[in-house]
PDB file of all heavy atoms in Angstrom:
ATOM      1  N   LYS A  85     -64.930  -7.215 -73.607  1.00  0.00           N
ATOM      2  CA  LYS A  85     -65.222  -5.830 -73.982  1.00  0.00           C
ATOM      3  C   LYS A  85     -65.422  -4.963 -72.750  1.00  0.00           C
ATOM      4  O   LYS A  85     -65.007  -3.806 -72.719  1.00  0.00           O
ATOM      5  CB  LYS A  85     -66.432  -5.763 -74.897  1.00  0.00           C
ATOM      6  CG  LYS A  85     -66.091  -6.011 -76.343  1.00  0.00           C
ATOM      7  CD  LYS A  85     -67.109  -5.369 -77.236  1.00  0.00           C
ATOM      8  CE  LYS A  85     -66.519  -5.289 -78.607  1.00  0.00           C
ATOM      9  NZ  LYS A  85     -67.245  -4.446 -79.489  1.00  0.00           N
ATOM     10  N   GLY A  86     -66.035  -5.517 -71.711  1.00  0.00           N
ATOM     11  CA  GLY A  86     -66.207  -4.780 -70.459  1.00  0.00           C
ATOM     12  C   GLY A  86     -64.873  -4.440 -69.816  1.00  0.00           C
ATOM     13  O   GLY A  86     -64.685  -3.333 -69.305  1.00  0.00           O
ATOM     14  N   ILE A  87     -63.964  -5.395 -69.839  1.00  0.00           N
ATOM     15  CA  ILE A  87     -62.615  -5.159 -69.299  1.00  0.00           C
ATOM     16  C   ILE A  87     -61.927  -4.056 -70.090  1.00  0.00           C
ATOM     17  O   ILE A  87     -61.318  -3.147 -69.521  1.00  0.00           O
ATOM     18  CB  ILE A  87     -61.785  -6.464 -69.331  1.00  0.00           C
ATOM     19  CG1 ILE A  87     -62.349  -7.489 -68.344  1.00  0.00           C
ATOM     20  CG2 ILE A  87     -60.313  -6.192 -69.056  1.00  0.00           C
ATOM     21  CD1 ILE A  87     -61.820  -8.897 -68.519  1.00  0.00           C
ATOM     22  N   LEU A  88     -62.046  -4.104 -71.409  1.00  0.00           N
ATOM     23  CA  LEU A  88     -61.410  -3.116 -72.261  1.00  0.00           C
ATOM     24  C   LEU A  88     -62.067  -1.742 -72.111  1.00  0.00           C
ATOM     25  O   LEU A  88     -61.378  -0.717 -72.146  1.00  0.00           O
ATOM     26  CB  LEU A  88     -61.431  -3.582 -73.715  1.00  0.00           C
ATOM     27  CG  LEU A  88     -60.681  -4.893 -73.974  1.00  0.00           C
ATOM     28  CD1 LEU A  88     -60.918  -5.376 -75.396  1.00  0.00           C
ATOM     29  CD2 LEU A  88     -59.206  -4.743 -73.681  1.00  0.00           C
ATOM     30  N   LEU A  89     -63.378  -1.715 -71.899  1.00  0.00           N
ATOM     31  CA  LEU A  89     -64.085  -0.457 -71.666  1.00  0.00           C
ATOM     32  C   LEU A  89     -63.583   0.190 -70.376  1.00  0.00           C
ATOM     33  O   LEU A  89     -63.358   1.401 -70.317  1.00  0.00           O
ATOM     34  CB  LEU A  89     -65.594  -0.710 -71.598  1.00  0.00           C
ATOM     35  CG  LEU A  89     -66.477   0.510 -71.387  1.00  0.00           C
ATOM     36  CD1 LEU A  89     -66.373   1.454 -72.585  1.00  0.00           C
ATOM     37  CD2 LEU A  89     -67.920   0.081 -71.176  1.00  0.00           C
ATOM     38  N   LYS A  90     -63.386  -0.646 -69.353  1.00  0.00           N
ATOM     39  CA  LYS A  90     -62.861  -0.163 -68.071  1.00  0.00           C
ATOM     40  C   LYS A  90     -61.478   0.476 -68.251  1.00  0.00           C
ATOM     41  O   LYS A  90     -61.115   1.406 -67.538  1.00  0.00           O
ATOM     42  CB  LYS A  90     -62.795  -1.328 -67.079  1.00  0.00           C
ATOM     43  CG  LYS A  90     -62.331  -0.949 -65.691  1.00  0.00           C
ATOM     44  CD  LYS A  90     -62.425  -2.125 -64.754  1.00  0.00           C
ATOM     45  CE  LYS A  90     -61.115  -2.873 -64.739  1.00  0.00           C
ATOM     46  NZ  LYS A  90     -61.035  -3.902 -63.719  1.00  0.00           N
ATOM     47  N   LEU A  91     -60.722  -0.034 -69.212  1.00  0.00           N
ATOM     48  CA  LEU A  91     -59.384   0.503 -69.485  1.00  0.00           C
ATOM     49  C   LEU A  91     -59.423   1.757 -70.366  1.00  0.00           C
ATOM     50  O   LEU A  91     -58.378   2.345 -70.642  1.00  0.00           O
ATOM     51  CB  LEU A  91     -58.515  -0.556 -70.168  1.00  0.00           C
ATOM     52  CG  LEU A  91     -58.196  -1.798 -69.351  1.00  0.00           C
ATOM     53  CD1 LEU A  91     -57.427  -2.807 -70.186  1.00  0.00           C
ATOM     54  CD2 LEU A  91     -57.414  -1.427 -68.103  1.00  0.00           C
ATOM     55  N   GLY A  92     -60.622   2.127 -70.834  1.00  0.00           N
ATOM     56  CA  GLY A  92     -60.749   3.312 -71.672  1.00  0.00           C
ATOM     57  C   GLY A  92     -60.418   3.077 -73.132  1.00  0.00           C
ATOM     58  O   GLY A  92     -60.108   4.020 -73.851  1.00  0.00           O
ATOM     59  N   LYS A  93     -60.467   1.832 -73.568  1.00  0.00           N
ATOM     60  CA  LYS A  93     -60.188   1.518 -74.974  1.00  0.00           C
ATOM     61  C   LYS A  93     -61.366   1.978 -75.836  1.00  0.00           C
ATOM     62  O   LYS A  93     -62.523   1.876 -75.437  1.00  0.00           O
ATOM     63  CB  LYS A  93     -59.968   0.021 -75.177  1.00  0.00           C
ATOM     64  CG  LYS A  93     -58.782  -0.537 -74.409  1.00  0.00           C
ATOM     65  CD  LYS A  93     -57.483   0.000 -74.939  1.00  0.00           C
ATOM     66  CE  LYS A  93     -56.301  -0.602 -74.229  1.00  0.00           C
ATOM     67  NZ  LYS A  93     -55.049   0.033 -74.586  1.00  0.00           N
ATOM     68  N   THR A  94     -61.065   2.463 -77.023  1.00  0.00           N
ATOM     69  CA  THR A  94     -62.108   2.856 -77.971  1.00  0.00           C
ATOM     70  C   THR A  94     -62.758   1.598 -78.530  1.00  0.00           C
ATOM     71  O   THR A  94     -62.232   0.483 -78.372  1.00  0.00           O
ATOM     72  CB  THR A  94     -61.522   3.679 -79.127  1.00  0.00           C
ATOM     73  OG1 THR A  94     -60.640   2.838 -79.886  1.00  0.00           O
ATOM     74  CG2 THR A  94     -60.786   4.910 -78.621  1.00  0.00           C
ATOM     75  N   ASP A  95     -63.871   1.769 -79.231  1.00  0.00           N
ATOM     76  CA  ASP A  95     -64.534   0.622 -79.853  1.00  0.00           C
ATOM     77  C   ASP A  95     -63.609  -0.069 -80.848  1.00  0.00           C
ATOM     78  O   ASP A  95     -63.560  -1.293 -80.916  1.00  0.00           O
ATOM     79  CB  ASP A  95     -65.829   1.039 -80.559  1.00  0.00           C
ATOM     80  CG  ASP A  95     -66.992   1.202 -79.594  1.00  0.00           C
ATOM     81  OD1 ASP A  95     -66.917   0.652 -78.470  1.00  0.00           O
ATOM     82  OD2 ASP A  95     -67.977   1.869 -79.972  1.00  0.00           O
ATOM     83  N   GLY A  96     -62.879   0.714 -81.620  1.00  0.00           N
ATOM     84  CA  GLY A  96     -61.940   0.145 -82.597  1.00  0.00           C
ATOM     85  C   GLY A  96     -60.847  -0.660 -81.932  1.00  0.00           C
ATOM     86  O   GLY A  96     -60.521  -1.769 -82.371  1.00  0.00           O
ATOM     87  N   GLU A  97     -60.263  -0.106 -80.870  1.00  0.00           N
ATOM     88  CA  GLU A  97     -59.212  -0.816 -80.135  1.00  0.00           C
ATOM     89  C   GLU A  97     -59.778  -2.083 -79.483  1.00  0.00           C
ATOM     90  O   GLU A  97     -59.156  -3.141 -79.544  1.00  0.00           O
ATOM     91  CB  GLU A  97     -58.610   0.085 -79.049  1.00  0.00           C
ATOM     92  CG  GLU A  97     -57.797   1.237 -79.569  1.00  0.00           C
ATOM     93  CD  GLU A  97     -57.431   2.231 -78.483  1.00  0.00           C
ATOM     94  OE1 GLU A  97     -58.237   2.461 -77.555  1.00  0.00           O
ATOM     95  OE2 GLU A  97     -56.303   2.776 -78.564  1.00  0.00           O
ATOM     96  N   SER A  98     -60.963  -1.955 -78.889  1.00  0.00           N
ATOM     97  CA  SER A  98     -61.593  -3.108 -78.239  1.00  0.00           C
ATOM     98  C   SER A  98     -61.884  -4.219 -79.233  1.00  0.00           C
ATOM     99  O   SER A  98     -61.634  -5.390 -78.958  1.00  0.00           O
ATOM    100  CB  SER A  98     -62.895  -2.689 -77.548  1.00  0.00           C
ATOM    101  OG  SER A  98     -62.641  -1.825 -76.479  1.00  0.00           O
TER     102      SER A  98
END
Side-chain angles (χ1 to χ4, degrees):
K85 276 205 163 193
I87 292 167
L88 299 172
L89 181 65
K90 183 174 92 171
L91 296 175
K93 298 293 183 188
T94 65
D95 280 340
E97 291 170 325
S98 294

